[in-house]
Amino acid sequence: MLALPVLSVCVLAIEICSVVEVHADGIIGARSPCKYRRDLSQFSKRFHIPNEIASQKFPFSTAVKLDSGCTGVTVTERHVITAAHCVTSNGVTGGTIDKKVHVGFLTLSGNFDWVPVKRIFVPKEWMKRVHPFIKDDFALLVLHKRHKRPFLGPVAVNASSVVETSSNVYFSAFDDAETPQNLMYRVCKAKGVSYGLLYQECSTENGASGAGVYMQVYDLIQNKWDRVLVGIQNTRYRKALSSKKLSVTLWFSKKIIDVLCSWTANSRYSLCTNE
C-alpha cells in the first residue's frame, strides 16, 4: 500500500484538544490527548477538514458559506458576520445590498443546508464611498431562522497585547477552488497590528473573505485557553513586507464592536452584554 504523507498537528481548536493526523486523502487518523500548548506557527498552508469534523466540531462548525462564494462566521443563533463586499452588488462600495442572500451550513454528506437571510447590516460609510475602504468592509447578516450550532463572539480587546501573548492566528474558510464545499483550516504567525488591520502569513484564496479569524488567549481566572474572535479575513488586500506578501485581517476595533452591538441591540439574540 502506498504510504501517504501525514501532517501531524496539535489542533487546539477542537474542544477535546487532540493530536490529529490529517492524511493526504483527507482521512483523520488516530488521536492522543494534548499535554501542552504546541507552537503551530510552522504550518502556514491550508489543509482540508473532513466533513464529519467540519460540520460537527467547534470551532470548525462556526464557518458558513455564502452563496456569493464568500465565507462567514456565526456569532449568535441568528447572526453571521462576513465582509461587506460579499453582500453588496458587484462587491463594491456605493452599490446596493443584495436582496437575496443565503447562508450554507455544511452537512455530513458534504452538501449545504441553505438558510435565507432576513436582513443585512453594512456600515453606512461603505454604502456612501466611491472607493473601497477596508475598515468599513464588514457586515452582519440576520438569518431567517435560528441555527443549532455553537458560535463564536467578538470581544473588544487590546490588539497589541493579544498579538504579543498569542502570536498565532487561526481560521477556516471555504476557499478550495477545485472543491468549493471543502472547509480549509490554517494556522500561521501574526505579524502585527497597524491602523486597525492585522497582518499575518496565512495562505488564502478568494473564498476566504469574511472568514472569522481568532486567537488563543489564556484566561487566568478560568485557568484555560479561550478562543477570541478578533476579526474577519479579507482577500482583496495584501501587504508587501520585504519579499513576503502578508494576508490582511480586519481587526475588530472597539468602534467596530460598538457598531456590531448596536445592530443587535434590539434582538433577543444580542451580540453583546450590558457589562
Side-chain angles (χ1 to χ4, degrees):
M1 181 176 178
L2 179 64
L4 296 172
V6 174
L7 176 61
S8 181
V9 181
C10 177
V11 183
L12 294 172
I14 296 180
E15 274 188 320
I16 56 176
C17 187
S18 59
V19 173
V20 180
E21 291 184 340
V22 184
H23 296 257
D25 58 1
I27 298 176
I28 293 290
R31 304 170 185 162
S32 59
C34 290
K35 300 300 182 182
Y36 52 88
R37 185 173 186 267
R38 292 179 56 184
D39 181 8
L40 307 184
S41 59
Q42 58 184 312
F43 303 107
S44 61
K45 294 186 177 181
R46 303 170 303 151
F47 62 93
H48 174 226
I49 298 297
N51 295 336
E52 62 268 25
I53 298 261
S55 63
Q56 302 290 322
K57 289 292 185 179
F58 177 83
F60 305 117
S61 59
T62 66
V64 294
K65 184 178 180 66
L66 276 63
D67 52 6
S68 63
C70 293
T71 301
V73 57
T74 57
V75 290
T76 77
E77 292 109 317
R78 287 285 302 276
H79 297 99
V80 170
I81 292 178
T82 188
H85 73 258
C86 295
V87 293
T88 48
S89 58
N90 300 321
V92 297
T93 55
T96 58
I97 298 175
D98 293 338
K99 294 182 178 180
K100 294 183 179 180
V101 177
H102 291 76
V103 169
F105 290 81
L106 186 66
T107 65
L108 282 171
S109 66
N111 297 317
F112 289 96
D113 180 12
W114 293 99
V115 177
V117 172
K118 183 178 181 180
R119 187 176 182 183
I120 299 175
F121 293 92
V122 298
K124 58 183 180 181
E125 292 83 3
W126 175 265
M127 302 304 297
K128 292 179 180 179
R129 293 183 186 277
V130 177
H131 300 291
F133 191 44
I134 187 173
K135 292 183 181 180
D136 301 324
D137 198 354
F138 63 97
L140 182 77
L141 315 184
V142 183
L143 300 178
H144 184 72
K145 64 178 182 179
R146 65 186 293 266
H147 65 86
K148 298 181 180 180
R149 298 191 182 186
F151 50 85
L152 287 168
V155 179
V157 292
N158 181 278
S160 298
S161 64
V162 172
V163 172
E164 290 173 1
T165 58
S166 179
S167 60
N168 293 326
V169 297
Y170 312 75
F171 67 94
S172 301
F174 295 98
D175 61 338
D176 185 347
E178 295 184 359
T179 313
Q181 70 269 29
N182 281 353
L183 184 66
M184 310 301 292
Y185 171 78
R186 71 226 72 195
V187 55
C188 63
K189 276 286 187 182
K191 304 304 292 185
V193 177
S194 177
Y195 298 102
L197 303 179
L198 169 67
Y199 301 106
Q200 30 83 0
E201 297 179 338
C202 287
S203 171
T204 60
E205 299 295 338
N206 289 336
S209 270
V213 178
Y214 65 94
M215 287 181 162
Q216 298 279 349
V217 178
Y218 194 74
D219 187 334
L220 294 174
I221 298 177
Q222 298 294 328
N223 194 30
K224 65 176 183 178
W225 290 95
D226 282 338
R227 303 172 189 86
V228 177
L229 183 61
V230 297
I232 54 172
Q233 189 64 16
N234 198 311
T235 59
R236 286 192 160 192
Y237 304 87
R238 292 285 190 275
K239 179 179 176 63
L241 182 64
S242 298
S243 60
K244 294 184 178 180
K245 282 190 175 181
L246 301 179
S247 295
V248 176
T249 298
L250 173 62
W251 186 271
F252 284 154
S253 64
K254 184 180 185 304
K255 180 180 179 180
I256 292 178
I257 293 292
D258 289 343
V259 172
L260 292 170
C261 290
S262 70
W263 287 341
T264 63
N266 297 322
S267 170
R268 61 178 294 189
Y269 304 102
S270 178
L271 189 61
C272 309
T273 64
N274 294 323
E275 297 178 359

